[in-house]
Amino acid sequence: MDIDQAACTIIANAGDSKADSFSAISEAAEGRFKEASAFLTSSTEKLLKAHEVHTQLLVQEANAKELAMKFILVHASNHLAVSEISREFAEVIVNLYKEVKKQ
């Protein structure tokens, strides 16, 4: 997989992961915790796909294969980082909604 294709794969999966994280929050806000949980699971799966490609690039570089640094790769790394944080916060927010809805 070339760098552009890898970057686009990371961006697509990380973006989908982030969208699922926010969908989980929306579902939890409405008290639909089963649906929220499904979105969190989907978010995690997509995040792992993005992370797998990112890791492949890191391994290539670690094996002394120089990678051309391109802005799209920086952009992909940013998407991945934001997606990871969104997923973590989404889980916290869903759990907070569960607590609030209990009362």
Side-chain angles (χ1 to χ4, degrees):
M1 177 180 308
D2 71 12
I3 289 178
D4 291 336
Q5 184 180 12
C8 288
T9 299
I10 292 167
I11 290 167
N13 282 291
D16 288 347
S17 173
K18 185 177 79 168
D20 284 349
S21 292
F22 282 94
S23 292
I25 293 169
S26 295
E27 292 295 329
E30 297 297 323
R32 296 187 292 262
F33 298 110
K34 184 177 180 180
E35 291 85 351
S37 179
F39 274 115
L40 288 174
T41 298
S42 178
S43 175
T44 299
E45 290 168 356
K46 292 168 184 170
L47 187 60
L48 289 173
K49 288 178 185 177
H51 196 269
E52 181 180 302
V53 174
H54 192 257
T55 300
Q56 289 171 4
L57 292 175
L58 292 172
V59 168
Q60 285 179 15
E61 190 171 63
N63 288 331
K65 180 180 180 196
E66 278 200 40
L67 298 176
M69 186 49 59
K70 298 176 100 175
F71 186 74
I72 194 167
L73 190 54
V74 173
H75 184 63
S77 293
N78 286 338
H79 267 280
L80 182 57
V82 168
S83 183
E84 289 172 329
I85 292 167
S86 296
R87 172 60 183 80
E88 290 176 27
F89 281 142
E91 187 168 359
V92 170
I93 293 168
V94 167
N95 287 332
L96 287 173
Y97 272 120
K98 284 180 184 177
E99 290 298 316
V100 168
K101 299 284 183 179
K102 277 186 198 178
Q103 301 173 8

